[in-house]
Amino acid sequence: MQLLEAQSVTKVFGSGVLSKDRLVAVDEVSLTINEEKPSIISIAGESGSGKTTLARLLLGMIQPSDGNIRFRGKDLATMDRSERREFRRQVQAIFQDPFEVYNPFYRIDQVLTTPVRKFKLAGSKEEEQRLIEESLQLAGLRPNETLGRYPHQLSGGQRQRIMVARALLLNPRVILADEPVSMVDASLRATILESLMKLKRDLGISLIYITHDLTTAYQISKDIYILYRGSVAEVGSVEQVIKDPQHPYTKLLVNSIPLPDPDIRWGSQNDVDQAPLTSGLKSAHGHGCKFANRCPFVMAECHEKQPPLYRTHEDRAVACFLYKNEPSVGGREMAESLAA
Amino acid sequence: MLSNVKTKPVDVRTKTRADRILDVRNLRVSYQTGGGQVRAVNDVSFFLRPSERLGLVGESGSGKTTMALSLMRLLQSPAVIEGGQVLLDGVDLLSLSEEEMRRARLADIALIPQGAMNSLNPMLKVGEQLRDAVTAHMDSGGKTSREARIFDVLESVELSRNVVNAYPHELSGGMKQRVCIAMGILLKPKVIIADEPTSALDVVVQRQVMETLGRVQSELGASIILVGHDMGLMAQFVDRVGVMYGGKLVEVSPVREIFKDPLHPYTQLLIGSLPTLESKENFKGISGMTPSLLTPPTGCMFHPRCPQVLPHCQVEIPPLVEIKPDRWVACHLYNGS
């Protein structure tokens, strides 16, 4: 059974079809997590790519303009109270800033006892304490070094791991992590990513990892979705997409990673060295490939219609007319095939 | 008594060597807090060669930003520069009067601050902000030569002249960052300090901005100190890397050597923790916590987390010494060599 699905979801901000303020933040994106096959999926893109909007859609925080989000086959929009409550418990989120989520006047404990009480997870004080200590340990923290403290007494890495512990308390099936390590120091980054990986390996929890950092995405995930201005530019296994990118935009992204090796020079990874920047988020006209005005390989048809996904490999599809000789594939079909 | 002296005479002992445009000696900076004194920069010495790109890396709280600000003398209370020298071309910046230092800023040593793009005044057009900076420093030369300089720098950071009429919110992040670089180089400083200049930018824009910064710096023949925590950026941009830990400089080495053969155990773990595209699921964090600067460990700052700790590491602070040509390390492991 499919655990969590985005079925051709679109989110438009602003109103009116021809309004100048209309912004298509997410444009017909499909994504699937299979209940039987826990997996780590990365959603990568730059600011304005729609990755955070997609995350908010998946969490049910905002409603799609078109398409739907399904949890165990049920559309979030038609869920009743108890179904929604179950969804809220099974799908947890970890956000970017490990500083902002805490109230500085409360001890750390409060962040952990609130969900226990809200979802009535424990019958007694002792059970509550036991649950909290267990989840802290799963997140790689020592309870005696964290409980009873105030947020400012803990490091950024510890604070972020407490958010992992909080998510774990509810025994979720999916954790959605939006840039969980971008504000954490390098030496702690590895530790947090490792604890997220362990959740999948040891507890079978799937992870949706939202990031702009292709290196960590490569490190932890099986599949990756590259978003460009709301659309999937390229999707597939990380081995395919990051090690051998095909979409000109993915090539540009991979080529811009500052690799920690002075012998691999910036921009020497592939044939898309640089692309001009465009101003604003909207293209001059609504149709055509969104990357066309920056693409070094642009062709006439790129300005006429949006390219569909072409399946260039069993584990990969690319939305680019350069690959039009390959069979085209629907976004949903591709997502389901990767999740299977 | 000597307050009327424009630049302090430099005696023989403090005379800088010709191959050092900036020579920082035994710099100590502390914050006076309610809980006691916190030494954020603890007896740090390093130098910068003409036209060199030096990276200063460290985790949050390692003192790198405090150091950058103290070189500019821009620290505010409760931070106090307790001692040391910052010799720029032989002149100790720490001994200048406020007015002399104000003149030196931008003209001799410029800072592109952290989150620089948010440091622009949202109420003023970009042109007015650039004009302010020039007027405050360029006494000679008329209005036309100032305007010419502004257009020059905008061109060199690849911005069109029209941005002088734009308000900051009308520009993208990358463009704002370019405006800040333009401001930094307006008066052709000898040393540019860039504190995490691209940390808020996307990778594609980051690369373009760094390439601009690099090109502008070589055109000026200026030296640059790049402060940051992104080792990838350091690998791609700088000539030498200085690693800070707990307010101390623990290693300074040429960039190739530091990635291939890091000397200090902390540098070794730091390099080992970096995610690469070579192998998957390779997580090597550094266990333990960064030291509290209120109650710092005795001896070497890193000894509580160091896998190669020796008995006297807890007692004695290792000095930063040059153990091989151009390779400086502060670690007792190298005491014998």
Side-chain angles (χ1 to χ4, degrees), chain B residues 48-86:
Chain B
L48 183 65
R49 301 189 175 103
S51 312
E52 187 185 35
R53 298 175 179 182
L54 176 74
L56 272 185
V57 296
E59 302 186 19
S60 36
S62 63
K64 54 190 194 304
T65 294
T66 303
M67 170 123 90
L69 292 174
S70 58
L71 300 182
M72 295 289 296
R73 276 180 57 190
L74 283 173
L75 284 170
Q76 287 177 343
S77 171
V80 183
I81 298 179
E82 292 182 302
Q85 289 177 308
V86 178

Side-chain angles (χ1 to χ4, degrees), chain A residues 141-275:
Chain A
L141 291 164
R142 281 185 283 269
N144 60 341
E145 286 177 11
T146 38
L147 292 176
R149 302 209 178 186
Y150 286 95
H152 72 269
Q153 294 173 307
L154 300 172
S155 72
Q158 283 176 314
R159 273 183 282 213
Q160 195 58 295
R161 268 183 282 174
I162 286 171
M163 293 327 290
V164 177
R166 190 202 58 84
L168 287 179
L169 268 177
L170 298 161
N171 192 20
R173 300 324 303 150
V174 185
I175 291 179
L176 198 147
D178 191 356
E179 301 271 15
V181 293
S182 66
M183 294 187 67
V184 174
D185 280 321
S187 68
L188 291 165
R189 208 168 278 186
T191 325
I192 291 173
L193 290 174
E194 191 183 12
S195 47
L196 289 173
M197 279 226 54
K198 272 196 192 149
L199 301 182
K200 190 221 123 198
R201 201 175 57 214
D202 302 342
L203 305 174
I205 299 173
S206 290
L207 181 71
I208 299 175
Y209 177 62
I210 294 167
T211 187
H212 67 278
D213 178 6
L214 295 183
T215 330
T216 54
Y218 176 75
Q219 287 286 320
I220 72 165
S221 50
K222 175 179 159 283
D223 299 320
I224 188 165
Y225 289 68
I226 305 283
L227 294 187
Y228 183 72
R229 288 165 58 185
S231 295
V232 174
E234 185 162 356
V235 53
S237 74
V238 289
E239 290 298 335
Q240 294 273 339
V241 176
I242 296 181
K243 296 290 269 217
D244 175 30
Q246 287 184 330
H247 195 288
Y249 175 64
T250 322
K251 289 184 179 185
L252 174 68
L253 271 187
V254 170
N255 224 354
S256 302
I257 303 173
L259 288 173
D261 183 344
D263 289 329
I264 306 174
R265 300 314 298 177
W266 237 343
S268 64
Q269 303 273 59
N270 57 55
D271 55 351
V272 182
D273 179 28
Q274 208 52 279

